[in-house]
Amino acid sequence: RQQYVGKLKFASLEASQGSKKLIVATEKNVVAALNSRSGEILWRHVDKGTPEGAIDAMLIHGQDAITVSNAGRILRSWETNIGGLNWETSLDTGSFQVARLVGLQDMVKYVAVLKKAAISLHYLSNGHQKWVEHLPESENTQYQLLYSRGTGVIHVLGIVPQSHLNVLTFSVEDGEITKQIRVAAPWLKSLNGVCSVVGEAVLVCMDMDTHSLYVCSLETEQEMKQIPLQSLDLEFADGFQPRILATQPNVISASRTQFFLQLSPSQFSLLQYKHGLLSHLRDFQQAALVSFATTGEKTVAAVLSCRSELKPGSSDDLHAGSTLEDSRKQESLTCSNQTYNINLYLVETGQRLLDTTITFNLEQSGAKPQQLYIQVFLKKDDSVGYRALVQTEDHMLMFLQQPGKVVWSREESLAEVVSLEMVDLPLTGAQAELEGEFGKKADGLLGMFLKRLSSQLILLQAWTAHLWKMFYDARKPRSQIKNEINIDNLARDEFNLQKMMVMVTASGKLFGIESSSGTILWKQYLRNVRLGSSFKLMVQRTTAHFPHPPQCTLLVKDKETKMSFLYVFNPIFGKRSQVAPPVLKRPILQTLLLPIMDQDYAKVLLLIDDEYKVTAFPATKNVLRQLEEIAHSIFFYLVDAEQGKLSGFRLKKDLTTEESWEVIVPTEVQRIVTVKGKRSNEHVHSQGRVMGDRSVLYKSLNPNLLAVVTESTDTHHERTFIGIYLIDGVTGRIIHSSVQKKARGPVHIVHSENWVVYQYWNTKARRNEFTVLELYEGTEQYNATAFSSLDRPILPQVLQQSYIFPSAISAMEATITERGITSRHLLIGLPSGAILSLPKALLDPRRPEIPTEQSREENLIPYSPDVQIHAERFINYNQTISRMRGIYTAPSGLESTCLVVAYGLDIYQTRVYPSKQFDVLKDDYDYVLISSVLFGLVFATMITKRLAQVKLLNRAWR
Amino acid sequence: LFIMYMAGNTISIFPAMMVCMMGWRPLQALMSLSTTLKALESSSRRALQGLVFLVGNGLGLALALYKCQAMGLLPTRPSDWLAFVAPPQRMEFTGGGLIL
C-alpha cells in the first residue's frame, strides 16, 4: 500500500530549523502532515470527496492548523503534532471569501472569517464565536479582503465594481463598526490578486488600463493616489492580468512594505512603498515563481527562475538574458534545459544573499514548477539557510535542500489514477538468449549446434554466478541482504506473480510500478495533456514475443478540442517506442484491439473517428490484407450517453463502416450511465453447470454481450428507477431488459462469464441491494463449436435473484485467473476502505428457497436474502484504501492466484486465492519427512536386496 | 448378489470394493479361459461347457457394470464430459463503448 495526499492547495512549513513537519491541505480534500526529512505521511485526514469536503483556506498558528471547508461552512482546528481535532464549529451559510488570523496586543487570539454578507470572529483556543456582524450594503458590494495588524481593529474591504471601494473598520472587542469610508475607484473590477495590503495598512492596487499603481492608506486617507508605472521604468505585457504579492510575516505586526508586482507570466519586480514613497528595488526576469519567507527579523524573497543556457552558473545576470529570451517569453515560460535556480534576496534592499542558490533539474519529467514554498532558518553564523518545497505541473512534490539536493520527492499524481494495465515482466537475459535462439532463422546444422552450445554455456555461466551470489549472500547477516529491484534486474519470477503496473494519472503522467514492492521504476510526463482529458490504455504486444519489445498504446483525447493522439511506449522501460503512430486528423470516438497480429506480433488497433472511418495501427500491408479478409466479422458499437443512442457499425473492406443497428434510450426519461462488455482476456473453463440429476445446464457465453445501465432522470424517491439492458453488440438484439422500480444509483456493475451483478440503492426499503442475472442456454447447446451472434435462434433463459447488502459500495470487480478454472469471487470495495472478497456462489440465482435433494447435490446454498460482511473476508486487513475509485484484477501464472490492485487516494496491491492455493504446496509441507521416508525406503530395499542375495548364496552353498 | 443389493447406490469404500471384486472375478476367469478349457479337454461336451462358462462370466461382468452405472461411476452423461468441452470459437469481434 502506498498513501498519497493529492495535489497541494495550501502548504505551510514551520520556520524553525529543527522542525520536521509540513502541513498540507490538498485539492483532494485532505489535510495531512508530512515528515520533512523523509516525505512520509505523519498523519492524514480525508474529508468527503465531493465539493462538500473542499478546503477553502488553511491557516497555521503555532501548533494549530485552522481549516475552513465545505464552502465556508465548517471551521476546524487541528493539532499539528498528532493530527487530533482540537475543535470544530459550523458557520452560517454564505459564500466564503477569506479567513484570517487576528491578533490583539501581542497575542494571536481569534480567527476572522469573511463571508459574502457577514464577518465572524472566533476564539482560536476553542472555536467559540465571539461576535458576528452583518456587512452593510452586501447586495451590491463584494467584500473580498480582510486585514488586521494587531491594532485592535479589522479592516474589511468591499468593492462595488467600477464604482467605489467600501472600507469598514471593525473593533475586535465588540464587532462595532468604528469607521466606514468610501474610496472612489471607478477603474477597479475586483480586488483578488490586483490589490494587496502592504506596510501599515496601505492598500496597493494595480490598474491595467492606465498602467499605474494606486495607493491608499486604509487608516488615514480617503483618496487613492495614482502613481504611473512609467515613473518606475516598468512596463507590463499586453493582455496579462498583473498581480500583487505581499507578505505579512506576523499577524500582530504590520505587513512588510515590500511587495512583488507580476508584470508578465515570467517577469516580477520587487517594489517598496514606504512613507508615501514608492521605490523600485529589483527586477526579476524569467522568474517562474516567487515566494516570501520570514525568520526572526529577516524576511527574504525566494525567486525561482529558469537557468538560461547561455548564462550557465551566473544567476546574477538575470537581466542580461532578457533580450534573448523575449521570444521564449511568449510561450509562457518554457525552460529549454529544464534547469531551475532558486535564489534568495533580502527584501529590504533587494540584494541577493550569497550562497543561497539551489539548482535543480527537471529534465526527466519535463514539467514546469507550479508552486513554491520556502522554509527559512538562521544558521549558527547568522546567515540564512533554507529548504524549498516545489510542486510541479505533474503534481510532483520535491523537497530541496542547499545546494540543490533533493531530500525527497513524492508523486502525488498517483492519488488520481485513471487507467491501469498490468504487463508481464520480461524474461531474464539467459532465458531470453535461449528464446532468441529459436526465434532466429535456421542457418545450417553446424551453426545451430554451435549456437546451442554457446547459449548453454551462457546458461551455465549465469547459474554459477547465481550460485556464487547465493554463497556470498549467505555469509552476510540476513538483515543486510536487500532485494533491490531496479530496471536492470527486472525479470519474471517462476509463477509470473510480479508484474509491471502501468498507471495513467489524471495529470497526464505515466508510471511504471513494480507490483510486489511498489517501487516506481519509470515515469513519463506527457506535457501536452490538459487536465480532464480521457485516456484509454491498451497493451498491443506483451513480453511474450522476444526479441520484439512489448508495446503499449495510450489514446489521449482532449475534452475541449476533441482532438486525440496516440502515445506508443514500452511498458517495461517507459521509453517512447520507435514505431510512429498514425497522425489522427479527426477526433477518435472509440478503439478496438483485434486479436490478429502483424508480422511483428503487435495486435492490431482499430480507431474509429467521428466520420465513422476506421484507422488501423500498425497499418502495414500484411495487416491490411488480414483486415480485408476478416472485415465482415468486425463490428463496432458506440454509445452516446448524451443523445441516449446505442449504435452498431459493421466494418467494410475499404475500412469504412456502415451502421447496422441502433437502439434509442429516450433521454427525457432515462440516461445511460454505464456500458460494460466482457473482458477480452477472460477464459471460461466450464461450458455449463452440472445439475442434480446429472444433466448439463449450458451457459450462454456470448462474448459480444453488453450490459447497459440506465438511470431515471426523475430522482423523486417514489418514481426513480434503474434499467438494465443486455444487448448483443453485433446485432443490437436486446436479450434481456429489466426495470428496477424505486431504485437509485450509483450503480456498480460487474459483467463476466454468463452473469451480471449490479448493486443499487433501494429507495423504498432504504437499503443497498445486489441483483444477479445469469444466462443459460438450457440443457441443449445450439452450436457447440462456434459462437456467432448472427445465428442464435433461441433466446437464453435469464435467471435473476436479489440480495440485501448491508453497506454501500465504492468499487466492484470480479477476480480473473489464467484459465478460468478457479471459482470466481467478487471484490467489493467498501467506503470504509476495506476490500471484501465475496464468493460468487453466494450470489447465485439458482439458490433455492426450499432446499431439495437435487439442489443439495449441486451444493447450492439455500436462499437467504441478506449477504453478510464477514470481517475475515477482508483481503486487505487494516490496510484501508481511502476513497477507493476502482479495483483492477489480472491473472498470474498460477491458476489459483489473481492479482488485485485497488486504487483511489492510496494504491494497494495484493494476491487473492479464490479457491485456496490448490496448485501450490502448503507452507507447512514437510519436505524433510517425506524425502527422508523416501530415501529410507530406497535404502531399505537396497539392504534387503543385498541380504536376500547373501541368503540365496548361503542356501546354494548348503 | 444380495450383498450387492444391500450395499446400495452410494459411493463409499466398501460398496466400491465389492463392485470392484465383482467385476474383477469374471474378468480374471475370462483371462484364464484357456486354462479352464484345457481342464475341460477330457470332457465330451467341451464347447457347450466352455460357452456356459463364458456366458456366466459375461453375466457377472454385466451385473458389475450395471451396478457401476447405478452407482454413477460410468461416464455416460454429457455432464461427465463437460470439462473437456472446448469453448466455442467466436465468429465476430466487437469493440467500442461510451464515446470518449
Side-chain angles (χ1 to χ4, degrees), chain A residues 286 305-313 325 328 334-341 359-364 366 527:
Chain A
Q286 261 209 290
S305 58
C306 177
R307 184 158 128 183
S308 93
E309 275 173 298
L310 301 154
K311 306 266 169 211
E325 306 304 330
R328 203 182 290 166
T334 43
C335 200
S336 56
N337 55 351
Q338 301 298 338
T339 312
Y340 295 90
N341 278 335
T359 307
F360 63 100
N361 200 327
L362 290 173
E363 199 125 34
Q364 278 185 326
R527 215 182 306 178

Side-chain angles (χ1 to χ4, degrees), chain A residues 142-193:
Chain A
Q142 293 165 14
Y143 291 95
Q144 283 170 340
L145 268 183
L146 190 65
Y147 182 77
S148 86
R149 54 179 187 105
T151 49
V153 287
I154 302 170
H155 303 286
V156 174
L157 271 77
I159 177 173
V160 178
Q162 307 193 323
S163 159
H164 63 271
L165 276 173
N166 237 354
V167 181
L168 306 175
T169 309
F170 287 93
S171 157
V172 173
E173 282 306 321
D174 48 6
E176 206 182 319
I177 297 176
T178 52
K179 207 163 89 181
Q180 184 170 4
I181 44 175
R182 271 176 178 225
V183 181
W187 40 271
L188 201 57
K189 293 186 191 80
S190 167
L191 283 170
N192 284 339

Side-chain angles (χ1 to χ4, degrees), chain A residues 555 557 589-590 592 595 633 635-637 639 687-688 693-694 696 704 730 785-790, chain B residues 72 74 77-80 82-83 85-100:
Chain A
L555 176 78
K557 185 173 180 183
L589 297 181
Q590 258 305 334
L592 165 60
S633 66
F635 296 86
F636 285 96
Y637 63 87
V639 182
Q687 294 302 305
D693 59 354
R694 304 215 290 129
V696 177
N704 310 321
V730 172
T785 52
F787 188 94
S788 169
S789 292
L790 302 169
Chain B
L74 291 186
R77 301 294 191 98
S79 58
D80 300 316
L82 190 63
V85 175
Q89 208 193 343
R90 73 187 280 196
M91 298 299 285
E92 288 98 11
F93 301 104
T94 47
L98 284 168
I99 288 176
L100 286 177

Side-chain angles (χ1 to χ4, degrees), chain A residues 446-691:
Chain A
L446 197 69
M448 287 293 277
F449 181 65
L450 281 178
K451 222 181 261 172
R452 162 49 62 94
L453 270 186
S454 69
S455 58
Q456 294 284 19
L457 262 176
I458 289 167
L459 273 184
L460 188 74
Q461 212 176 351
W463 188 63
T464 44
H466 180 68
L467 273 189
W468 177 247
K469 191 168 171 281
M470 262 173 67
F471 174 71
Y472 200 73
D473 282 350
R475 296 198 318 199
K476 278 192 268 181
R478 196 45 77 80
S479 55
Q480 277 187 18
I481 305 169
K482 258 193 259 167
N483 261 332
E484 271 189 22
I485 296 163
N486 59 37
I487 212 143
D488 300 318
N489 63 13
L490 207 61
R492 197 183 298 185
D493 59 335
E494 249 171 287
F495 297 121
N496 201 1
L497 291 172
Q498 290 178 21
K499 290 199 176 195
M500 178 69 93
M501 304 192 279
V502 180
M503 294 191 182
V504 185
T505 58
S507 64
K509 200 168 187 184
L510 303 175
F511 289 91
I513 299 178
E514 204 279 322
S515 71
S516 66
S517 62
T519 0
I520 297 173
L521 292 180
W522 57 265
K523 44 199 169 190
Q524 185 76 41
Y525 179 57
L526 302 180
R527 215 182 306 178
N528 39 6
V529 171
R530 253 183 287 170
L531 230 63
S533 309
S534 46
F535 299 91
K536 195 164 179 182
L537 181 66
M538 290 144 294
V539 182
Q540 275 202 298
R541 191 194 296 136
T542 59
T543 35
H545 305 286
F546 188 83
H548 299 292
Q551 185 178 322
C552 271
T553 305
L554 179 72
L555 176 78
V556 185
K557 185 173 180 183
D558 201 298
K559 272 269 153 63
E560 283 157 35
T561 60
K562 298 275 181 201
M563 288 314 280
S564 36
F565 66 92
L566 285 176
Y567 179 75
V568 187
F569 62 101
N570 178 337
I572 302 298
F573 302 109
K575 290 197 192 85
R576 196 183 183 119
S577 183
Q578 303 294 329
V579 189
V583 182
L584 307 170
K585 294 198 188 81
R586 313 272 333 161
I588 296 299
L589 297 181
Q590 258 305 334
T591 62
L592 165 60
L593 197 63
L594 287 178
I596 59 166
M597 293 181 187
D598 70 343
Q599 64 269 39
D600 290 341
Y601 305 104
K603 284 183 187 166
V604 176
L605 184 69
L606 295 185
L607 306 152
I608 182 163
D609 61 21
D610 64 343
E611 284 176 337
Y612 308 113
K613 290 227 173 60
V614 170
T615 319
F617 169 66
T620 55
K621 261 196 188 134
N622 181 2
V623 168
L624 293 176
R625 210 191 58 240
Q626 283 190 57
L627 266 182
E628 216 166 274
E629 277 169 27
I630 61 158
H632 60 91
S633 66
I634 296 173
F635 296 86
F636 285 96
Y637 63 87
L638 296 174
V639 182
D640 194 339
E642 278 160 30
Q643 293 174 23
K645 197 171 84 175
L646 291 100
S647 40
F649 294 90
R650 186 167 65 213
L651 188 69
K652 289 202 281 192
K653 287 208 165 141
D654 54 346
L655 293 186
T656 53
T657 54
E658 61 175 347
E659 191 167 323
S660 53
W661 57 270
E662 193 177 72
V663 175
I664 298 212
V665 178
T667 43
E668 305 88 63
V669 189
Q670 49 190 345
R671 61 174 203 282
I672 299 169
V673 192
T674 30
V675 177
K676 270 263 166 112
K678 278 180 197 170
R679 292 176 66 163
S680 55
N681 58 348
E682 185 182 69
H683 289 276
V684 182
H685 183 72
S686 174
Q687 294 302 305
R689 284 180 59 165
V690 183
M691 314 279 287

Side-chain angles (χ1 to χ4, degrees), chain A residues 386-404:
Chain A
Y386 72 110
R387 302 193 195 102
L389 180 74
V390 177
Q391 178 169 35
T392 56
E393 244 183 345
D394 53 352
H395 303 185
M396 184 174 71
L397 285 182
M398 280 207 306
F399 199 63
L400 303 157
Q401 205 173 28
Q402 283 171 296

Side-chain angles (χ1 to χ4, degrees), chain B residues 7-16 68 70-73:
Chain B
N9 281 343
T10 52
I11 298 171
S12 64
I13 192 143
F14 275 102
C68 274
M71 281 168 76
L73 289 177

Side-chain angles (χ1 to χ4, degrees), chain A residues 16 29 68 71 87 109 135 165 209 257 369 380 415 420 472 492 615 630 666 707 745 747 811 818 831:
Chain A
S16 62
N29 308 347
V68 182
W87 47 261
K109 270 184 168 170
L135 300 170
L165 276 173
D209 299 327
T257 52
K380 286 194 182 93
L420 171 67
Y472 200 73
R492 197 183 298 185
T615 319
I630 61 158
V747 179
E818 186 81 28

